[in-house]
Amino acid sequence: MSEMSTSWTANLSFGASTDPHEPRPGLSRTGHTIVAVFLGFILAFGFLNNLIVLVLFCKFKTLRNPVNMLLLNISASDMLVCISGTTLSFASNIHGRWIGGEYGCMWYGFVNSCFGIVSLISLAILSYERYSTITLGNKRGSDYQKALLAVGGSWLYSLIWTVPPLIGWSSYGIEGAGTSCSVRWTSESAESVSYIICLFIFCLVIPVMVMIYCYGRLLYAVKQVGKIRKNAARKREYHVLFMVITTIICYLICWMPYGVIALLATFGSPGAVSPVAYIIPSILAKSSTVCNPIIYILMNKQFYKCFLLLFHCYPPSAADGESLCQSKVTVIQLNQKVDSGATCNNQVLPETDEQVACLRSPESNVETASEDTPQMLKENSLG
């Protein structure tokens, strides 16, 4: 027990007081109040935005399809972050000190890391799903199985990287201004350093690279279609371009500053990162719970239509139930060799070995289009 108390005392310090009930130096009472205001905003809107998403899933059956299961997983993990993590940090800033105690700190560090990584990995998988609908053939019969595997895999992957600090590979402790907890970035032990390096590579760098590659390929596919049907595809190309840029920029803004600060605390000279320097990156990371529902859900046309129906924003004559929420597809065939005559843009192409890009039935219903071709760009997947 004495060893645990010693470890707890060590986790508290950036050269600060070892008393966990004293405010951390470097952040005044006014500073804690300002941080509490920002966290209160994130808590309120993060909870509300993700609650709306969950309500939409419960109310509209048409949203409950394999493509949207990852979106549901992201909202569920973000809401759990708000409930189990942001609330405690918000209350601690109001008091000007950490109020959860030793075990509360371990719990806070674990659940926030776990739910945060679930959300990050789900975003990376979602980018691959969007990419694969264009470049790979998807068999509809196994869609639900693959979706469940992706959701379960995101949680298992997260647990693989968040349980080790509980059993000795690194540890969780107080960070920043003393009102939140995370992995103990400032530990100089070989075990902690190796864990931080692995965490940075496998839970931040790799997901970022996957997103950049997949969304880059997705945008390239849309541009290829635009060369064939410029008038029909131009609007969609700009929409996809806006979605891709917004997605990647918001992802980097929310998570990269925190990752950089953590690496500086780990590999920089002692005291290189002050407690106050942790605050802004930490707030930005927590703000992802507010941004994710807006970017991935409310910017999605299928969800947006259901959102309008939920709040009765459609006129009574137009709101004919869930038919407005039905997803449509744009079928894109890229880099396919045509061995025999093929129909593209309602024209029969001659035999050729050249690569072609086809845009077929842009207004087709998802059921019909999925039978015509296995390669499609789903509107509810693209937003």
Side-chain angles (χ1 to χ4, degrees):
M1 185 69 181
S2 59
E3 292 181 0
M4 185 174 293
S5 300
T6 302
S7 175
W8 170 246
T9 303
N11 288 347
L12 286 170
S13 65
F14 291 99
S17 170
T18 58
D19 186 355
H21 299 291
E22 292 183 5
R24 306 274 291 177
L27 197 62
S28 64
R29 175 64 266 177
T30 302
H32 280 294
T33 301
I34 294 174
V35 173
V37 169
F38 278 102
L39 289 177
F41 173 87
I42 292 172
L43 175 60
F45 284 92
F47 181 84
L48 179 62
N49 290 354
N50 288 286
L51 178 62
I52 290 175
V53 172
L54 298 180
V55 170
L56 289 175
F57 270 100
C58 293
K59 184 174 178 62
F60 298 101
K61 293 182 180 179
T62 186
L63 295 178
R64 301 174 212 160
N65 58 60
V67 176
N68 290 333
M69 288 186 65
L70 280 171
L71 298 176
L72 177 62
N73 192 44
I74 292 170
S75 286
S77 61
D78 285 346
M79 176 166 280
L80 288 172
V81 168
C82 290
I83 295 173
S84 62
T86 308
T87 50
L88 193 54
S89 182
F90 172 71
S92 294
N93 274 282
I94 290 178
H95 287 81
R97 60 179 177 83
W98 176 252
I99 62 174
E102 176 182 356
Y103 293 105
C105 185
M106 295 173 62
W107 165 256
Y108 179 99
F110 168 70
V111 298
N112 273 274
S113 298
C114 182
F115 299 147
I117 292 176
V118 166
S119 181
L120 290 175
I121 299 303
S122 296
L123 296 180
I125 296 175
L126 180 62
S127 69
Y128 177 77
E129 184 276 333
R130 288 169 165 170
Y131 160 71
S132 65
T133 57
I134 297 175
T135 62
L136 303 176
N138 291 328
K139 297 181 179 180
R140 294 182 57 213
S142 59
D143 278 352
Y144 274 102
Q145 181 179 358
K146 290 181 179 179
L148 290 173
L149 183 63
V151 170
S154 68
W155 285 92
L156 178 61
Y157 189 90
S158 178
L159 289 173
I160 289 174
W161 291 108
T162 54
V163 169
L166 297 177
I167 57 179
W169 190 20
S170 189
S171 61
Y172 294 112
I174 290 283
E175 71 168 353
T179 53
S180 62
C181 299
S182 69
V183 175
R184 202 169 56 146
W185 306 113
T186 55
S187 175
E188 297 181 357
S189 67
E191 292 82 3
S192 292
V193 171
S194 63
Y195 172 79
I196 291 168
I197 293 174
C198 291
L199 189 68
F200 183 78
I201 293 175
F202 290 99
C203 297
L204 185 60
V205 174
I206 290 180
V208 168
M209 298 305 295
V210 169
M211 290 181 65
I212 292 176
Y213 173 79
C214 292
Y215 283 135
R217 289 289 297 172
L218 184 152
L219 185 58
Y220 170 78
V222 177
K223 284 184 176 294
Q224 290 297 99
V225 173
K227 292 178 181 179
I228 295 177
R229 295 183 60 180
K230 293 184 178 180
N231 293 333
R234 186 64 60 187
K235 182 178 179 180
R236 184 157 189 81
E237 179 180 332
Y238 285 134
H239 175 76
V240 174
L241 177 62
F242 177 76
M243 181 205 71
V244 169
I245 292 177
T246 303
T247 296
I248 294 177
I249 288 179
C250 288
Y251 185 99
L252 295 177
I253 288 177
C254 287
W255 291 104
M256 287 305 292
Y258 189 82
V260 170
I261 288 294
L263 288 180
L264 287 176
T266 302
F267 299 104
S269 59
V273 181
S274 66
V276 179
Y278 274 94
I279 295 175
I280 295 179
S282 179
I283 290 177
L284 287 174
K286 289 181 174 63
S287 69
S288 64
T289 60
V290 179
C291 299
N292 285 341
I294 297 174
I295 295 173
Y296 293 93
I297 305 296
L298 299 183
M299 283 177 59
N300 182 300
K301 291 181 181 179
Q302 185 188 17
F303 277 88
Y304 184 66
K305 291 176 183 178
C306 292
F307 175 81
L308 293 179
L309 281 176
L310 180 66
F311 290 96
H312 307 288
C313 296
Y314 270 116
S317 59
D320 57 347
E322 294 192 2
S323 60
L324 282 173
C325 294
Q326 292 293 334
S327 62
K328 298 178 181 179
V329 302
T330 300
V331 179
I332 296 180
Q333 292 185 318
L334 289 173
N335 301 326
Q336 300 297 305
K337 291 185 178 181
V338 181
D339 296 324
S340 60
T343 301
C344 184
N345 300 330
N346 299 321
Q347 297 179 356
V348 177
L349 299 179
E351 284 191 23
T352 177
D353 287 333
E354 295 179 357
Q355 294 178 339
V356 297
C358 299
L359 176 64
R360 301 176 55 200
S361 306
E363 298 300 326
S364 299
N365 183 272
V366 65
E367 296 296 331
T368 302
S370 60
E371 294 175 358
D372 291 338
T373 175
Q375 296 181 316
M376 63 186 67
L377 182 60
K378 297 184 180 179
E379 189 167 291
N380 67 332
S381 165
L382 275 175

